[in-house]
Amino acid sequence: MPPTSAATRVLAVANQKGGVGKTTTTVNLATALAACGKQVLIIDMDPQGNASTGLGVASDQRSHSVYQVLLDAMPIAEAVTKTLVPGMDIVPSGVDLSGAELELIDVPQREYRLRNAIQAARGKYDFVIIDCPPALGLLTLNALVSADSVLVPLQAEFYALEGLSHLMRTIDRVRRGLNQALTLQGVVLTMFDRRNNLCEMVAADVREYLGDRVYKTMIPRNVRVSEAPSHGKPVLLYDMRCAGAQAYIRLAREILQRENDLAGEPALAS
């Protein structure tokens, strides 16, 4: 099926801190975008392979993975696996990816391996969403060099702004040296608990620091979101009515609205 828009947007979901909801955001945002009629490809760049597992892609279905794309120059179409979500595919992560950081060191054009592979996917998908590992190594660098923009999941906690500042400096360095088109797509606050005064304080600080680049939608701390990966499903398929699923639908609408505003297209129906 051809994409529903002329241009493919490549988003890297990144934060060097672990446990902030990168994979959860990747899987559920991608599912919500697919539910909005978009054609979506997830690229699982995390050696832990949680995005693949969370979409029910078993280990024996990962003989072709992002490792072969990066190290063996496999065409990305050959590594694509269908998911149970209509309109959404994934390039899974395999156990071999854990050694890719070292193996890429001596590879020519090592920072551009993923970018070169993704060129073939542009035009086939509306969105390519890259789930980055919780580190700023060569795998994340490949994702940032490939991306049009960066989506940052941010847990509302004490050290959030310090980590965000570090990531922003990294994005600036990548923009100056390797990918001049890279922008900050936005920051989404995750695992948000309105009963916690610290969450409210951090949210206010982040909004003061970044203004409207922080999405209005906040992803609440929700047990159904946590349960869904163990069933190999996005939360939108596991329990669409729960607060977490509804938040990801709102986030997808907000992202699509920003994309439409940039393109000068009519507003989305709510």
Side-chain angles (χ1 to χ4, degrees), residues 207-218:
R207 293 188 190 282
E208 182 178 358
Y209 178 48
L210 289 174
D212 60 7
R213 288 187 287 182
V214 183
Y215 289 103
K216 295 176 183 177
T217 301
M218 296 183 289

Side-chain angles (χ1 to χ4, degrees), residues 11-265:
L11 307 183
V13 181
N15 190 326
Q16 73 274 17
K17 191 175 186 305
V20 298
K22 285 188 298 298
T23 298
T24 300
T25 296
T26 298
V27 168
N28 291 297
L29 172 60
T31 302
L33 289 170
C36 291
K38 302 301 181 182
Q39 298 296 305
V40 184
L41 175 66
I42 292 175
I43 299 180
D44 189 351
M45 287 287 282
D46 190 340
Q48 297 176 85
N50 290 336
S52 306
T53 302
L55 284 167
V57 181
S59 297
D60 59 6
Q61 296 176 275
R62 305 182 199 178
S63 56
H64 291 172
S65 71
V66 72
Y67 176 86
Q68 282 80 22
V69 173
L70 292 172
L71 275 300
D72 300 334
M74 174 183 284
I76 210 161
E78 294 183 20
V80 165
T81 298
K82 294 290 181 184
T83 73
L84 43 73
V85 179
M88 190 170 84
D89 299 334
I90 186 170
V91 177
S93 171
V95 294
D96 292 341
L97 193 60
S98 58
E101 291 273 358
L102 291 176
E103 293 177 69
L104 280 169
I105 289 175
D106 296 323
V107 173
Q109 296 286 295
R110 60 190 181 187
E111 301 92 347
Y112 296 92
R113 302 289 287 187
L114 184 63
R115 179 176 183 169
N116 293 339
I118 284 176
Q119 293 307 313
R122 287 188 179 269
K124 183 177 180 182
Y125 296 95
D126 295 298
F127 287 91
V128 175
I129 303 181
I130 308 170
D131 185 29
C132 297
L136 296 176
L138 271 174
L139 294 178
T140 297
L141 184 59
N142 261 268
L144 296 179
V145 171
S146 304
D148 300 310
S149 56
V150 185
L151 176 65
V152 183
L154 191 72
Q155 186 178 358
E157 62 170 16
F158 182 73
Y159 291 111
L161 279 176
E162 181 179 341
L164 181 60
S165 297
H166 187 190
L167 179 60
M168 295 291 287
R169 288 195 295 271
T170 299
I171 292 170
D172 285 340
R173 286 196 295 269
V174 172
R175 183 188 299 117
R176 289 196 303 269
L178 297 166
N179 181 6
Q180 294 181 0
L182 186 66
T183 62
L184 178 65
Q185 173 79 17
V187 173
V188 57
L189 291 164
T190 60
M191 292 178 270
F192 194 84
D193 186 350
R194 291 188 180 278
R195 300 168 298 179
N196 187 327
N197 289 336
L198 178 61
C199 284
E200 296 285 1
M201 292 170 59
V202 171
D205 286 346
V206 173
R207 293 188 190 282
E208 182 178 358
Y209 178 48
L210 289 174
D212 60 7
R213 288 187 287 182
V214 183
Y215 289 103
K216 295 176 183 177
T217 301
M218 296 183 289
I219 309 301
R221 190 177 291 278
N222 182 256
V223 67
R224 304 298 273 176
V225 172
S226 301
E227 290 172 352
S230 66
H231 295 269
K233 294 180 179 180
V235 72
L236 278 81
L237 297 187
Y238 180 64
D239 184 356
M240 186 175 179
R241 291 189 175 89
C242 76
Q246 292 299 308
Y248 278 112
I249 291 170
R250 290 194 299 273
L251 178 62
R253 286 176 175 167
E254 197 172 347
I255 286 174
L256 289 173
Q257 184 62 69
R258 289 193 184 189
E259 295 292 329
N260 288 343
D261 289 345
L262 288 172
E265 296 177 5

